[in-house]
Amino acid sequence: MKYIFTIFFAITSISSFSQNDISLAYYLPKNTTYNPEIPTPQSVLGYVPGKWHVTHDKLVSYMKALAKASPRITIEDRGSTFEDRPILLLTITSQQNHQNLEEIQKKHIQLTENGSEGLNLENLPAIVYQGFSIHGNEPSGSNASLIAAYHLAAAQGSEIDELLNNVVILFDPSLNPDGLQRFAYWANTNKSKNINSDPQDREYSEIWPGGRTNHYWFDMNRDWLPVQLPESRARIKTFHQWYPNILTDHHEMGSNSTFFFQPGIQSRTHPLTPKLNQELTKKIANYHAKALDNIGSLYYTEENFDDFYYGKGSTFPDINGGIGILFEQGSSRGHAQQTDNGLLTFPFTIRNQFTATLSTLEAAKTMRKELLDYKRSFYNDARKELSKDAYIFGNEKDAASSYHLAEILKRHQIKIHELKQDITTQGKTFKKGYSYIIPKDQKQKRLLKAIFEKRTTFQDSLFYDISAWTFPLAFNLDYTDNASVSNLGTEVSNLSHRRANAVNKSNYAYLIEWHEYYGPKALYQILAKGLRAKVGMNPFSLENKKYDYGTILVPVQNQKLNKEELHAFLQKVSTNNHIDITGVSTGLTKGIDLGSNQFRALSLPRIGLFTGTGITPYDSGEIWHLMDQRYDIPITKLTTDNFGRTDLSRYTHLILPNSWRQSFNKEKSEKLKTWIRNGGTLIGYRNAAQFFKNNEFMKIEFTTPENDAKNISFEQKRDFRGAQVIGGAIFDAKIDRSHPINFGYKNNRISLFRNTKLFIKPDKQSYNNPIQYTKKPLLSGYISKKNLDSLSGTVPFRHNNFGKGNVILFTDNTNFRAFWYGTNKLLMNAIFFSDEM
């Protein structure tokens, strides 16, 4: 068998070959015996791993078979994906450890708590969480999990016994079930009997959106901190039940690469991560190097990648007392490809991932005491850090956004409290029931700081991912970071939405303030019921209450429901969406009366979302998820390839997400223009700006910074250019709250996430610049000085009347990774109030 695979790698000029002769011997360690009573992968799958890409259903079947046959394994179903696939976890360890698992878990939690110094670590096993293929089209990890699980269940001898006595393995065979299934289907249905290794073969070019993402096209390896997705929530719950000493994250990269393991570029490690973390990571790396040397596999380390953003699987443990390790295998993207390193086969990629799986466990076994001591010292040292005050966050007009940030904190085992009473501090009012207070002096104080901090100075200017994620800014919440703990009220044990006030019955009209996060969901339900609703263009006061821009009016008269039915329906809307609806007895106000023409009639939007070739899946998926999961608003996914045959008259609004290439030719652009002239609204994001300008949808004047390289060597070129990238930072903008795009925002400033260099000059007419970056806009994150100077005073939003319709542009993503709650309303305003702009 070894001879056969040597032939595969040596004869790189041959374009096709067969994988029918693969056996487990290619993968497994030499001189190891296996229990014949434990089922092999092929006995359940019908083939040896590597011949086909495993589908998630078969992966589940095999893991269940192992758990049934082996006393070393227990299995649990932690929930379901959006496509109702199980989110499995195997716990693998010795029989003796299984009998004492609750005690082991209890001691690991004690290591993170006060008084852990007296805990005896002599016989305490290390905890290793091993996660595979969080990107579904990086499948060597999940396929290697088949081999690894079999080896751990069936291997015999003193070596495996010693390992399982000293390590408890939390084994997650598929971090992304839906994506894995999607990619396996593609690779398997395009496989030839005589495998074609030509990289241009259809097998190696997935159709849009590809298998990388989950059902809603999210990159789940960015969701460890925000925890917005069901798969993330399951694994974060497991993580905080154990606080693993090591967590591994098995990925793939470009086909012409070899194999990477951490540490990466250590100057790009987040400052809150202790230096000892990187020292231990480097020590563990020696085990990977030795194991890969033994099988002759090329690898590299301490290049590329980083440990800065705590929302990645390989970095999240670093702020929780553990060691996160990223593995990146050059990808075959199918069954075999010709590469710069010769013929890269799928079985070879699986073997490298399996080898790294075992080397991790060997390191955990040997370094067990060091890893346990490190976790204990991490939390002990954190307790010594001075932090006697508290954070307060909230929005006196929007309880739901506050709730959702509190929800994230609770998922990370951070203690939160109600406010004792309403308070005003630093010019900000925090209202009980709409705000929360978090004492800094608690176990998770470092993680809490990572969630709330604003950082604008850095050791390095290059980032693998975003450089800022300050959560209260992302949620558009007021907050203070130095509040007195004297404001602490009751600790929140069971978090729940604020209960809306009962709707008082009216014979005249009902009013809904637009500030609450779920206002758009409520408004859609009202319009979908066939009810008349209007939006107020100006503030007013009525019955001792002030109403802001964007207040929704639902008249009682001339509705399809009678008074009793209307009240009952609105009560249901109020309860389900956690918003107050106020019945009023008169239309006479201080300000615009309820019969004023400054209340504009609203209509039910019918929304189309462009997807498919050329469109960035992340951006379109975030919009789909927002509408489908958060707001229950139907949205039609239109494909760019079929646009010529699409009947646009079905839609009032079309959304064009960011695209990586031009999706519309001149003929298609004219079709769009005709639809807009007839009353449609086109909403574009990011690169749509260039499309709008080139095709005369709106006049745009860009400003471009000059970035001439001076005294930069060829070797430094990549870093010089990389430093000009805005990977993701947070910026301050002033807003005109009277403009419909800003309805529902109570402050005159907004925090915007930005990861583009689309700098648009403001319009000469100030009222056409309802959102504009301030002179010194950087709030948190990295941006080069030249880019910052260019950004100052520019505008991230443009609107243009076009015939009877509208063209609307956002230069950046208002729905970033599902946790940027604070700017979701900008898109909803663009949809509901476009005709009032």
Coordinates of all heavy atoms in Angstrom, one line a residue, residues 118-161:
G118 N -5.3 24.8 46.0 CA -5.2 23.6 46.8 C -5.6 22.4 46.0 O -5.6 21.2 46.6
L119 N -6.0 22.5 44.8 CA -6.5 21.4 44.0 C -5.4 20.5 43.5 O -4.4 21.0 43.0 CB -7.3 21.9 42.8 CG -8.2 20.9 42.0 CD1 -9.3 20.4 42.9 CD2 -8.8 21.6 40.8
N120 N -5.5 19.2 43.8 CA -4.5 18.2 43.4 C -4.6 17.9 42.0 O -5.6 17.4 41.5 CB -4.6 17.0 44.3 CG -3.5 16.0 44.1 OD1 -2.6 16.2 43.2 ND2 -3.4 15.0 44.9
L121 N -3.6 18.2 41.2 CA -3.6 17.9 39.7 C -2.9 16.6 39.3 O -2.9 16.3 38.1 CB -2.9 19.1 39.0 CG -3.4 20.5 39.3 CD1 -2.7 21.5 38.5 CD2 -4.9 20.6 39.1
E122 N -2.5 15.9 40.3 CA -1.6 14.7 40.0 C -2.3 13.7 39.1 O -1.7 13.2 38.1 CB -1.2 14.0 41.3 CG -0.1 13.0 41.1 CD 1.2 13.7 40.6 OE1 1.5 14.8 41.0 OE2 1.9 13.1 39.8
N123 N -3.6 13.5 39.3 CA -4.3 12.4 38.5 C -5.4 13.0 37.7 O -6.3 12.3 37.2 CB -4.8 11.3 39.4 CG -3.7 10.6 40.2 OD1 -2.7 10.2 39.6 ND2 -3.9 10.5 41.5
L124 N -5.4 14.4 37.5 CA -6.5 15.0 36.7 C -6.1 15.0 35.3 O -5.1 15.5 34.8 CB -6.7 16.4 37.2 CG -7.8 17.2 36.6 CD1 -9.1 16.6 36.9 CD2 -7.8 18.7 37.0
P125 N -7.0 14.4 34.4 CA -6.8 14.3 33.0 C -6.9 15.7 32.4 O -7.6 16.6 32.8 CB -7.9 13.4 32.4 CG -8.4 12.7 33.6 CD -8.2 13.6 34.8
A126 N -6.1 15.9 31.3 CA -6.3 17.2 30.5 C -7.5 17.0 29.6 O -7.9 15.9 29.3 CB -5.0 17.4 29.6
I127 N -8.1 18.2 29.2 CA -9.2 18.2 28.4 C -8.8 18.8 27.0 O -8.3 19.9 26.9 CB -10.4 19.1 28.9 CG1 -10.7 18.7 30.4 CG2 -11.6 19.0 28.1 CD1 -11.1 17.2 30.6
V128 N -9.1 18.0 25.9 CA -8.8 18.5 24.6 C -10.1 18.5 23.8 O -10.8 17.4 23.7 CB -7.7 17.6 23.9 CG1 -7.5 18.0 22.5 CG2 -6.5 17.6 24.7
Y129 N -10.5 19.6 23.2 CA -11.6 19.7 22.3 C -11.0 19.7 20.9 O -10.3 20.5 20.5 CB -12.3 21.0 22.6 CG -13.7 21.1 21.9 CD1 -14.9 21.3 22.6 CD2 -13.8 21.1 20.5 CE1 -16.1 21.4 21.9 CE2 -15.0 21.2 19.8 CZ -16.2 21.3 20.6 OH -17.4 21.4 20.0
Q130 N -11.4 18.7 20.1 CA -11.0 18.5 18.7 C -12.1 18.7 17.8 O -13.1 18.0 17.8 CB -10.3 17.2 18.5 CG -9.1 17.0 19.4 CD -8.2 15.8 19.0 OE1 -8.7 14.7 19.1 NE2 -7.0 16.0 18.6
G131 N -12.1 19.8 17.0 CA -13.1 20.2 16.1 C -12.7 20.1 14.6 O -11.6 20.6 14.3
F132 N -13.5 19.6 13.8 CA -13.1 19.3 12.4 C -14.1 20.0 11.4 O -15.3 20.0 11.5 CB -13.2 17.8 12.2 CG -12.3 17.0 13.1 CD1 -12.7 16.5 14.3 CD2 -10.9 16.8 12.7 CE1 -11.9 15.8 15.1 CE2 -10.1 16.1 13.6 CZ -10.6 15.6 14.8
S133 N -13.4 20.7 10.4 CA -14.1 21.2 9.2 C -15.2 22.1 9.5 O -16.3 21.9 9.0 CB -14.6 20.0 8.3 OG -13.5 19.2 7.9
I134 N -14.9 23.2 10.2 CA -15.9 24.2 10.4 C -16.2 24.9 9.0 O -17.3 25.5 8.9 CB -15.4 25.3 11.4 CG1 -16.6 26.1 12.0 CG2 -14.3 26.2 10.8 CD1 -16.2 26.8 13.2
H135 N -15.4 24.8 8.1 CA -15.7 25.2 6.7 C -16.0 23.9 5.9 O -15.1 23.0 5.8 CB -14.5 26.0 6.1 CG -14.3 27.3 6.7 ND1 -13.0 27.8 6.9 CD2 -15.1 28.2 7.3 CE1 -13.1 28.9 7.5 NE2 -14.3 29.2 7.8
G136 N -17.2 23.8 5.4 CA -17.6 22.5 4.9 C -16.8 22.0 3.7 O -16.7 20.8 3.4
N137 N -16.3 23.0 2.9 CA -15.5 22.6 1.7 C -14.0 22.5 2.1 O -13.2 22.5 1.2 CB -15.7 23.5 0.5 CG -15.3 24.9 0.8 OD1 -14.9 25.3 1.9 ND2 -15.4 25.8 -0.2
E138 N -13.7 22.3 3.3 CA -12.4 22.0 3.8 C -12.5 20.6 4.5 O -12.3 20.5 5.7 CB -11.8 23.1 4.7 CG -11.7 24.4 4.0 CD -11.3 25.6 4.9 OE1 -11.0 25.3 6.1 OE2 -11.3 26.7 4.4
P139 N -12.8 19.6 3.8 CA -13.4 18.3 4.3 C -12.4 17.3 4.9 O -12.8 16.3 5.5 CB -14.1 17.7 3.1 CG -13.3 18.1 2.0 CD -12.8 19.5 2.3
S140 N -11.1 17.6 4.7 CA -10.2 16.6 5.1 C -10.2 16.4 6.7 O -10.0 15.3 7.2 CB -8.7 16.9 4.7 OG -8.4 18.2 5.2
G141 N -10.6 17.4 7.4 CA -10.8 17.3 8.8 C -11.8 16.3 9.2 O -11.6 15.4 10.0
S142 N -13.1 16.5 8.7 CA -14.2 15.6 9.1 C -13.9 14.2 8.6 O -14.3 13.2 9.3 CB -15.5 16.2 8.5 OG -15.9 17.3 9.3
N143 N -13.3 14.1 7.4 CA -13.0 12.7 7.0 C -11.9 12.1 7.8 O -11.9 10.9 8.0 CB -12.6 12.8 5.5 CG -13.8 12.9 4.6 OD1 -14.4 12.0 4.1 ND2 -14.2 14.2 4.3
A144 N -11.0 12.9 8.3 CA -10.0 12.4 9.2 C -10.6 12.0 10.6 O -10.1 11.1 11.3 CB -8.8 13.4 9.4
S145 N -11.7 12.6 10.9 CA -12.3 12.3 12.2 C -12.8 10.9 12.2 O -12.9 10.2 13.3 CB -13.5 13.3 12.5 OG -14.6 13.0 11.7
L146 N -13.1 10.3 11.0 CA -13.5 8.9 11.0 C -12.4 8.0 11.4 O -12.6 7.1 12.2 CB -14.0 8.6 9.5 CG -15.1 9.4 8.9 CD1 -15.2 9.2 7.4 CD2 -16.4 8.9 9.6
I147 N -11.2 8.3 10.9 CA -10.0 7.5 11.2 C -9.6 7.7 12.7 O -9.3 6.7 13.4 CB -8.8 7.9 10.3 CG1 -9.2 8.0 8.8 CG2 -7.7 6.9 10.5 CD1 -9.6 6.7 8.2
A148 N -9.7 9.0 13.1 CA -9.2 9.3 14.5 C -10.2 8.6 15.5 O -9.7 8.0 16.5 CB -9.2 10.8 14.7
A149 N -11.5 8.7 15.2 CA -12.4 8.1 16.2 C -12.3 6.6 16.2 O -12.4 6.0 17.3 CB -13.9 8.5 15.8
Y150 N -12.1 6.0 15.1 CA -11.8 4.5 15.0 C -10.6 4.2 15.8 O -10.6 3.3 16.7 CB -11.7 4.0 13.6 CG -11.2 2.6 13.5 CD1 -12.0 1.6 13.9 CD2 -9.9 2.3 13.1 CE1 -11.6 0.2 13.8 CE2 -9.4 1.0 13.1 CZ -10.3 0.0 13.5 OH -9.8 -1.3 13.4
H151 N -9.5 4.9 15.6 CA -8.2 4.6 16.3 C -8.4 4.7 17.8 O -8.0 3.9 18.6 CB -7.1 5.6 15.8 CG -5.9 5.5 16.6 ND1 -4.9 4.5 16.4 CD2 -5.4 6.3 17.6 CE1 -3.9 4.7 17.3 NE2 -4.2 5.8 18.0
L152 N -9.1 5.8 18.3 CA -9.2 6.0 19.7 C -10.2 5.0 20.3 O -10.0 4.6 21.5 CB -9.8 7.4 19.9 CG -8.8 8.6 19.6 CD1 -9.5 9.9 19.6 CD2 -7.6 8.6 20.5
A153 N -11.1 4.5 19.5 CA -12.0 3.5 20.0 C -11.4 2.1 20.0 O -11.7 1.2 20.9 CB -13.3 3.5 19.2
A154 N -10.6 1.8 19.0 CA -10.2 0.4 18.8 C -8.8 0.0 19.0 O -8.4 -1.1 19.2 CB -10.6 0.0 17.3
A155 N -7.9 1.0 19.1 CA -6.4 0.7 19.3 C -6.2 0.0 20.6 O -6.9 0.3 21.6 CB -5.6 2.0 19.2
Q156 N -5.3 -0.9 20.6 CA -5.0 -1.6 21.8 C -3.5 -1.5 22.3 O -2.7 -1.1 21.4 CB -5.3 -3.1 21.6 CG -6.7 -3.4 21.3 CD -7.0 -4.9 20.9 OE1 -6.2 -5.5 20.2 NE2 -8.0 -5.5 21.5
G157 N -3.3 -1.6 23.6 CA -1.9 -1.6 24.0 C -1.7 -0.5 25.1 O -2.6 0.3 25.4
S158 N -0.5 -0.5 25.7 CA -0.2 0.4 26.8 C -0.2 1.9 26.4 O -0.6 2.8 27.1 CB 1.1 0.1 27.4 OG 2.1 0.1 26.4
E159 N 0.2 2.1 25.1 CA 0.3 3.5 24.6 C -1.1 4.2 24.6 O -1.3 5.3 25.1 CB 0.9 3.6 23.3 CG 1.2 5.0 22.8 CD 2.0 5.0 21.5 OE1 2.7 4.0 21.2 OE2 1.9 6.0 20.7
I160 N -2.1 3.5 24.0 CA -3.5 4.1 24.0 C -4.1 4.2 25.3 O -4.8 5.1 25.7 CB -4.4 3.3 23.0 CG1 -5.7 4.1 22.7 CG2 -4.7 1.9 23.4 CD1 -5.5 5.4 21.9
D161 N -3.8 3.2 26.2 CA -4.3 3.2 27.5 C -3.8 4.4 28.3 O -4.5 5.1 29.0 CB -3.9 1.9 28.3 CG -4.7 0.7 27.7 OD1 -5.7 0.9 27.0 OD2 -4.2 -0.5 28.0

